[in-house]
Amino acid sequence: MSDFPLPRADLPTPALLLDVAAMDRNIAAMADYARSKGLALRPHAKTHKSGEIARRQIAAGAVGICCAKLGEAEALAADGVGDIHLTSPVVTKGGIARLTALAGKIRLSAVADHPDVVRALAGSGVTVFVDVDPGKHRTGVTSPEAAVALARAIVAAGLTLGGVQYYCGSEQHITTFADRHAAIVGKTDYLRTVLAALETAGFAIPVVTGAGTGTFAIDAELGVLTELQVGSYIFLDREYRDCELAGPRFEQALWVDSTVVSANTPGMVTIDAGLKSFATDAGVPVPMSGTARYAFMGDEQGALIGEDLPGLAERATLVPPHCDPTVNLYDRYHLVDGDTVTGSWPVTARGRST
Amino acid sequence: MSDFPLPRADLPTPALLLDVAAMDRNIAAMADYARSKGLALRPHAKTHKSGEIARRQIAAGAVGICCAKLGEAEALAADGVGDIHLTSPVVTKGGIARLTALAGKIRLSAVADHPDVVRALAGSGVTVFVDVDPGKHRTGVTSPEAAVALARAIVAAGLTLGGVQYYCGSEQHITTFADRHAAIVGKTDYLRTVLAALETAGFAIPVVTGAGTGTFAIDAELGVLTELQVGSYIFLDREYRDCELAGPRFEQALWVDSTVVSANTPGMVTIDAGLKSFATDAGVPVPMSGTARYAFMGDEQGALIGEDLPGLAERATLVPPHCDPTVNLYDRYHLVDGDTVTGSWPVTARGRST
């Protein structure tokens, strides 16, 4: 499928489609917002895993990007990205050797949440952030005292203390804005306690990094974070469409195109996009238009159920339920401009290890 | 990671691990079983998407393989597989052109469930099966009369009628054997009605293809299917481990290896395998050994919760909840023999379109 432009109706399905113009407007809107609030923007590339998109985010004003896995950072560094913050701890001897090698090539920071790991990072040349657990118990130190101890370990190991990471993952998708706001106010009170303990212990904290698409406007209002790690805003998805978001308006820029492969049962048709075409952790996709609802029907298929259904061999366009793990299912983005596929980009860092 | 052998503890995680010796025993056990029952074996390659594994299945006695997507069939044909049955309808003009091209290269059969599609297949050189809906309403004709009409359309189009496909997808994972047996007895009664209608109308049905890992022994006992499309038996997974299977015993041959990246909360550790490392449509993975339970903790992480937990930077091995869509997340199988990684195979047909 290398001959572009191609009519969208001729693209084999299931296919991941990206409206680059809409994505670029989302990128610009977030960059303008961060600038207007005096915040650094460091978008999370775990959403898109694409060097092309990372470079567009940086060109629009981002200070760099975040990666979730060392393998992603290696792939995007090889694809021309020069400033990466790794948001998950790298803890093995082999991983730290790779991290050290990567720090010789680009501006690289990473997080730690255990003094043993900090000691193993000595001499790596990596700037280290104290990862603070907001109560999800996924990663991070779990008390102000542990944050201070970790900062001491970082300095004692001869490493540069980059700041604090505080990512409230569980709060991003709280549906109503008022509930999400209240949750982040409470989480930020705790963050202030941690930062005060670090300050009392004599540590300067140049960067406090965190936030996501669901909370960045609340974090900006509260004024404790200095850097935003937002990811999903470039694409949106059904989950975020169901949330009352604050801040700039973003547009849906990512879809899956599918084809009706069977239409023998009244009130439903079967399309060629199932468990292998959509991440299933966040419910079902929704058709971009019309009133039909989607149901998973197995690995390769789903059903559209309702009244205004496409016919056999016709197309259906769906909004993914959760963008990050849906992108992770595809090798390429197909770029669309209306009914034309204008090209494709690889999902560069797909399938990489930690 | 091209230098093998490699100690398993040095393989970057998350990684998809395959015990080739166990898989080969599973392949041989199913081939022996089908032979002993006088049934043709045509394993479903949507499980593994691998030319290497397909060739091993054929070498052990399979008549060919099944694919779910045209793109899979193209990739596996290019990887040396010479006999493929496509189990999902191909309905678009572009798809039928590709199908026709592929039929010029290998022995190829496909299914249809609509006369318009059959007419479009005229001249393709593809052997066509009547796809019969067992009541799931995913694909297939929905009555004996419609099956006869479709068989007439196939012959009228000058195509070879390959037989009937009847795949009871919803019944594969019924947990208790007695309930699954009763369900398949009922479904097979309907299949007999369809086959009788076709016979009355003068059609010879050389092949009746269907079955999966949950029902093949029941189908063999009932004696209506002539060919088994089993897929998951080569790997197994947590879903099939939870089912009372009949027939030969299979071994778990597929795992995901992960690393503990955080261990700050009593009674739990965080590992580097989450929503992007396991399909989430069938519940949670389970540790290969020990009593800990797994919980998803986001795109890149999960938690092990319990008492006998690995320590920071140590490994955890998990049995995937559902093998097919989990394999679909990885670019490569890493081949293990105990604590050694002996090599790797590509997941050749990953990410292909219909």
Side-chain angles (χ1 to χ4, degrees):
Chain A
M1 297 317 308
S2 53
D3 293 330
F4 301 109
L6 181 77
R8 181 163 168 179
D10 291 351
L11 185 69
T13 59
L16 185 68
L17 298 182
L18 176 59
D19 181 336
V20 177
M23 181 193 73
D24 280 344
R25 288 191 292 273
N26 291 340
I27 288 173
M30 185 63 90
D32 289 347
Y33 179 84
R35 206 175 289 120
S36 75
K37 300 290 177 182
L39 295 170
L41 175 63
R42 183 180 285 279
H44 213 309
K46 79 187 183 75
T47 302
H48 56 70
K49 297 172 183 269
S50 157
E52 177 67 39
I53 297 175
R55 289 193 301 273
R56 283 171 186 246
Q57 291 174 313
I58 291 168
V63 296
I65 59 161
C66 297
C67 287
K69 296 178 176 185
L70 179 52
E72 284 173 12
E74 290 168 332
L76 295 185
D79 202 9
V81 178
D83 189 327
I84 298 178
H85 172 68
L86 203 48
T87 58
S88 307
V90 174
V91 302
T92 63
K93 202 176 152 188
I96 290 171
R98 288 162 57 200
L99 201 63
T100 304
L102 189 60
K105 297 177 189 162
I106 63 165
R107 188 165 189 274
L108 183 67
S109 57
V111 298
D113 72 4
H114 197 285
D116 288 353
V117 174
V118 170
R119 281 187 280 276
L121 284 166
S124 66
V126 178
T127 297
V128 182
F129 281 64
V130 177
D131 189 21
V132 175
D133 176 10
K136 187 179 170 76
H137 302 326
R138 184 163 70 185
T139 64
V141 295
T142 57
S143 70
E145 296 72 30
V148 170
L150 203 79
R152 287 198 175 114
I154 291 168
V155 173
L159 295 157
T160 300
L161 173 62
V164 163
Q165 174 175 283
Y166 191 70
Y167 175 61
C168 296
S170 300
E171 284 66 33
Q172 297 305 317
H173 291 100
I174 297 175
T175 312
T176 64
F177 181 77
D179 290 349
R180 204 172 335 119
H181 190 277
I184 292 296
V185 166
K187 294 292 176 192
T188 303
D189 284 344
Y190 174 67
L191 174 59
R192 286 195 186 95
T193 309
V194 173
L195 293 172
L198 286 163
E199 193 185 355
T200 303
F203 293 102
I205 300 299
V207 177
V208 185
T209 186
T213 297
T215 66
F216 72 93
I218 306 168
D219 292 301
E221 169 207 325
L222 297 176
V224 179
L225 297 187
T226 68
E227 182 178 273
L228 304 177
Q229 295 187 354
V230 285
S232 304
Y233 74 99
I234 54 166
F235 298 147
L236 291 192
D237 55 24
R238 204 224 67 240
E239 266 195 304
Y240 275 121
R241 216 164 80 158
D242 292 349
C243 287
E244 287 175 58
L245 296 180
R249 289 271 153 196
F250 302 110
E251 301 169 52
Q252 185 66 39
L254 189 81
W255 300 279
V256 170
D257 262 12
S258 66
T259 302
V260 175
V261 296
S262 185
N264 285 338
T265 302
M268 66 179 282
V269 296
T270 299
I271 59 174
D272 62 352
L275 302 176
K276 291 177 181 169
S277 300
F278 299 106
T280 65
D281 62 291
V284 291
V286 287
M288 193 181 70
S289 58
T291 59
R293 69 181 177 84
Y294 176 95
F296 283 105
M297 291 288 275
D299 286 1
E300 284 82 12
Q301 282 127 9
L304 292 179
I305 301 163
E307 296 194 345
D308 52 338
L309 298 172
L312 186 62
E314 291 181 353
R315 297 295 174 114
T317 298
L318 294 110
V319 175
H322 184 183
C323 58
D324 299 25
T326 297
V327 168
N328 187 53
L329 295 168
Y330 292 85
D331 289 333
R332 302 194 79 79
Y333 296 95
H334 283 93
L335 315 179
V336 284
D337 179 3
D339 289 335
T340 303
V341 183
T342 58
S344 82
W345 291 340
V347 183
T348 319
R350 205 211 78 76
R352 302 302 169 118
S353 58
T354 301
Chain B
M1 297 316 309
S2 54
D3 293 331
F4 301 109
L6 181 78
R8 182 163 168 177
D10 290 352
L11 185 69
T13 57
L16 184 69
L17 298 181
L18 176 60
D19 181 336
V20 177
M23 181 193 71
D24 280 344
R25 289 191 291 273
N26 292 341
I27 288 174
M30 185 63 89
D32 290 347
Y33 179 83
R35 205 176 288 119
S36 75
K37 300 290 178 181
L39 295 170
L41 175 63
R42 183 180 285 279
H44 213 309
K46 80 187 182 77
T47 302
H48 56 69
K49 297 172 183 268
S50 156
E52 177 67 40
I53 297 175
R55 289 193 300 273
R56 284 171 185 245
Q57 291 174 312
I58 291 169
V63 297
I65 59 160
C66 296
C67 286
K69 295 179 176 184
L70 179 53
E72 285 174 11
E74 290 168 332
L76 295 185
D79 202 9
V81 177
D83 190 327
I84 298 178
H85 172 68
L86 202 49
T87 57
S88 307
V90 174
V91 302
T92 62
K93 202 177 152 188
I96 290 171
R98 289 162 57 200
L99 201 63
T100 304
L102 189 60
K105 297 178 188 161
I106 63 164
R107 189 165 189 274
L108 183 68
S109 57
V111 298
D113 72 3
H114 197 285
D116 289 353
V117 174
V118 169
R119 281 186 280 275
L121 285 166
S124 65
V126 178
T127 298
V128 182
F129 281 65
V130 177
D131 189 20
V132 175
D133 176 10
K136 187 181 171 74
H137 302 327
R138 185 163 69 186
T139 64
V141 295
T142 56
S143 70
E145 297 71 30
V148 170
L150 203 80
R152 287 199 176 115
I154 291 168
V155 173
L159 295 158
T160 301
L161 174 62
V164 162
Q165 173 174 285
Y166 191 70
Y167 175 61
C168 295
S170 299
E171 284 67 33
Q172 297 305 319
H173 293 101
I174 297 175
T175 312
T176 65
F177 181 77
D179 290 347
R180 203 173 336 118
H181 190 277
I184 291 296
V185 166
K187 293 292 176 193
T188 304
D189 285 345
Y190 174 68
L191 174 59
R192 287 196 185 94
T193 308
V194 174
L195 293 172
L198 286 163
E199 193 186 355
T200 302
F203 293 102
I205 301 299
V207 177
V208 185
T209 187
T213 297
T215 65
F216 71 93
I218 305 167
D219 293 300
E221 170 207 323
L222 297 176
V224 179
L225 297 187
T226 68
E227 183 177 274
L228 303 178
Q229 295 187 355
V230 285
S232 303
Y233 74 99
I234 55 166
F235 297 148
L236 290 191
D237 55 24
R238 203 224 69 238
E239 265 195 304
Y240 275 122
R241 215 164 81 159
D242 292 349
C243 288
E244 287 176 59
L245 296 180
R249 287 273 153 195
F250 302 109
E251 301 169 51
Q252 185 66 39
L254 189 81
W255 299 279
V256 170
D257 262 12
S258 66
T259 301
V260 175
V261 295
S262 186
N264 285 339
T265 303
M268 67 179 281
V269 296
T270 299
I271 60 174
D272 62 352
L275 302 176
K276 291 178 180 169
S277 301
F278 299 106
T280 65
D281 62 292
V284 290
V286 287
M288 194 181 69
S289 58
T291 59
R293 68 180 177 85
Y294 176 95
F296 283 105
M297 291 289 274
D299 285 1
E300 283 82 13
Q301 282 127 8
L304 292 179
I305 301 163
E307 296 194 344
D308 52 338
L309 298 172
L312 187 62
E314 291 181 353
R315 297 294 173 116
T317 298
L318 294 111
V319 175
H322 184 185
C323 58
D324 299 26
T326 297
V327 168
N328 187 54
L329 295 168
Y330 292 85
D331 289 333
R332 302 194 79 79
Y333 296 96
H334 283 94
L335 315 179
V336 284
D337 179 2
D339 289 334
T340 302
V341 182
T342 59
S344 82
W345 292 339
V347 182
T348 319
R350 204 210 80 75
R352 301 302 168 118
S353 58
T354 302

